Amino acid sequence: MNMTTMVPFVKWAGGKRQMLEQLGIRMPETYGGYYEPFVGGGALVLSLAPEKAVLNDINQELVHTYREIRDHLDALLVLLSSMDTVTCTKEFYYEMRERYNEKHRLAEYDTEMAALFIYLNKHCFNGLYRVNTRGEFNVPWNQKLSVRSMDMENIKAISAYLKSVTITCRDFEKALEDVKKGDFVYFDSPYAPLNPTSFDSYTKEGFTEEEHRRLAELFRRLTDQGVYCMLTNHNTELIRELYEGFLIEEIDVRRAINSDPKKRKGKEVIIRNYGEQIQHS
Ligand SMILES: C[S@@+](CC[C@H](N)C(=O)[O-])C[C@H]1O[C@@H](n2cnc3c(N)ncnc32)[C@H](O)[C@@H]1O
């Protein structure tokens, strides 16, 4: 498999696979280092495979899984293949989920934990990642008896690519401490809710309005430093206010390019501190 055809090894909330073309055409022509402080499933970085990438996420289990794919691929594949030889009944799924949560309680960050992380993602309802207040994974089974946990060629290509990548697990601001003029940063933070009152229902790990303000301040600081920044989020009043003055383009994820201007009004925005508006024909 060619590195540029890699796709995420997990389904992740906010995954950008449907928006890849829109993001790709808005990349700067040239840039130094590539940074993704909210990497999640990493759809964009995997589609581009840039040299000198720094990937970061605050989710420890996700970051651990990236590192295991990079550093212990063979052992990981053996574990995943053996899990996949068993029919995923309800009992088996909950057994695997309990095994994962036991590792979490004991802080056993080993290759098996990464294998279980991928397995649960592929066999849980909707590929959701949700934990309770103790950090235990609590998503129910997706009721599918046989789903493959991985695409062998894809995961091998990811492993090879990650060998040259720096992977960190920090807050987004810390993760960008070394960014320099001419580098590129893609920000795909958790979404701002379409309904502002929904901020109240965010969990303790949630991304509050304050966090969105902190992110926008960072975006402005990096702009002053000459760093290329691109950011995606919902098309809400808060986001428009926070990024006023930057290039804000509305994108309809399902109908990304539409000849009828009335139908172009999108639910998401791509915001940049460089480049020009892309004309739709
Ligand atoms: C919308 S997802 C990214 C989706 C990703 N671009 C993709 O294609 O799958 C947002 C990510 O931000 C991470 N996150 C939340 N708060 C964070 C913080 N303060 N610092 C760094 N990462 C954070 C979450 O763990 C989550 O993986």
Side-chain angles (χ1 to χ4, degrees):
M1 175 178 282
N2 183 319
M3 272 188 184
T4 53
T5 55
M6 293 180 291
V7 295
F9 58 89
V10 281
K11 187 170 170 189
W12 207 248
K16 287 291 165 298
R17 288 183 71 176
Q18 293 154 290
M19 226 199 241
L20 281 182
E21 196 188 331
Q22 294 297 321
L23 295 171
I25 58 177
R26 289 174 172 83
M27 290 293 295
E29 267 173 40
T30 57
Y31 53 89
Y34 176 105
Y35 288 78
E36 253 203 74
F38 303 96
V39 70
L44 183 62
V45 66
L46 292 176
S47 77
L48 300 170
E51 285 173 29
K52 290 192 280 173
V54 177
L55 307 180
N56 176 77
D57 201 284
I58 210 160
N59 184 315
Q60 271 188 50
E61 286 73 21
L62 175 69
V63 169
H64 171 67
T65 305
Y66 271 100
R67 289 175 175 156
E68 288 294 317
I69 289 174
R70 180 187 63 189
D71 302 334
H72 301 121
L73 183 68
D74 291 344
L76 180 75
L77 291 182
V78 169
L79 288 164
L80 266 178
S81 308
S82 79
M83 288 174 196
D84 275 356
T85 56
V86 183
T87 304
C88 187
T89 57
K90 183 176 180 185
E91 291 68 31
F92 189 71
Y93 173 79
Y94 287 103
E95 200 184 299
M96 292 298 103
R97 195 175 86 171
E98 180 44 32
R99 196 163 171 76
Y100 173 84
N101 284 331
E102 182 63 8
K103 288 200 166 285
H104 186 267
R105 285 191 283 275
L106 299 170
E108 272 180 25
Y109 283 78
D110 57 10
T111 308
E112 191 185 356
M113 185 197 245
L116 287 162
F117 183 90
I118 297 173
Y119 185 86
L120 293 175
N121 180 270
K122 293 293 152 73
H123 294 85
C124 74
F125 180 72
N126 246 344
L128 275 176
Y129 181 85
R130 192 187 62 201
V131 294
N132 64 20
T133 49
R134 292 186 298 278
E136 294 162 348
F137 187 77
N138 65 4
V139 182
W141 178 46
N142 65 5
Q143 306 198 0
K144 290 183 187 149
L145 296 171
S146 71
V147 178
R148 275 174 61 220
S149 297
M150 64 186 163
D151 171 330
M152 193 74 95
E153 292 310 305
N154 184 50
I155 207 161
K156 281 183 180 169
I158 295 175
S159 178
Y161 171 63
L162 292 177
K163 303 260 186 232
S164 63
V165 168
T166 303
I167 309 168
T168 58
C169 185
R170 321 172 77 179
D171 175 65
F172 64 89
E173 218 171 329
K174 283 251 170 240
L176 296 178
E177 274 175 357
D178 298 334
V179 176
K180 294 182 301 294
K181 182 176 180 183
D183 287 342
F184 168 77
V185 185
Y186 171 48
F187 293 102
D188 186 25
S189 75
Y191 284 120
L194 289 166
N195 170 4
T197 57
S198 316
F199 268 123
D200 303 342
S201 62
Y202 265 31
T203 58
K204 69 175 183 1
E205 266 89 39
F207 214 73
T208 59
E209 183 170 334
E210 241 0 90
E211 300 285 282
H212 282 288
R213 292 193 181 278
R214 185 160 70 89
L215 175 55
E217 277 169 29
L218 176 63
F219 193 101
R220 286 183 194 279
R221 278 205 309 278
L222 294 176
T223 301
D224 293 342
Q225 281 176 39
V227 175
Y228 298 111
C229 297
M230 177 160 76
L231 178 144
T232 40
N233 212 307
H234 277 148
N235 185 10
T236 69
E237 228 169 89
L238 172 70
I239 296 298
R240 288 187 160 273
E241 174 209 309
L242 291 179
Y243 295 95
E244 203 184 328
F246 292 109
L247 175 55
I248 304 181
E249 294 172 283
E250 293 180 10
I251 304 291
D252 188 323
V253 177
R254 274 141 302 161
R255 274 173 288 122
I257 298 177
N258 201 304
S259 51
D260 179 351
K262 283 187 214 124
K263 290 187 184 161
R264 272 189 219 148
K265 206 166 157 49
K267 292 189 180 64
E268 307 211 7
V269 282
I270 299 180
I271 301 172
R272 287 179 292 155
N273 65 358
Y274 63 90
E276 286 173 7
Q277 178 108 26
I278 304 272
Q279 301 292 326
H280 296 296
S281 55

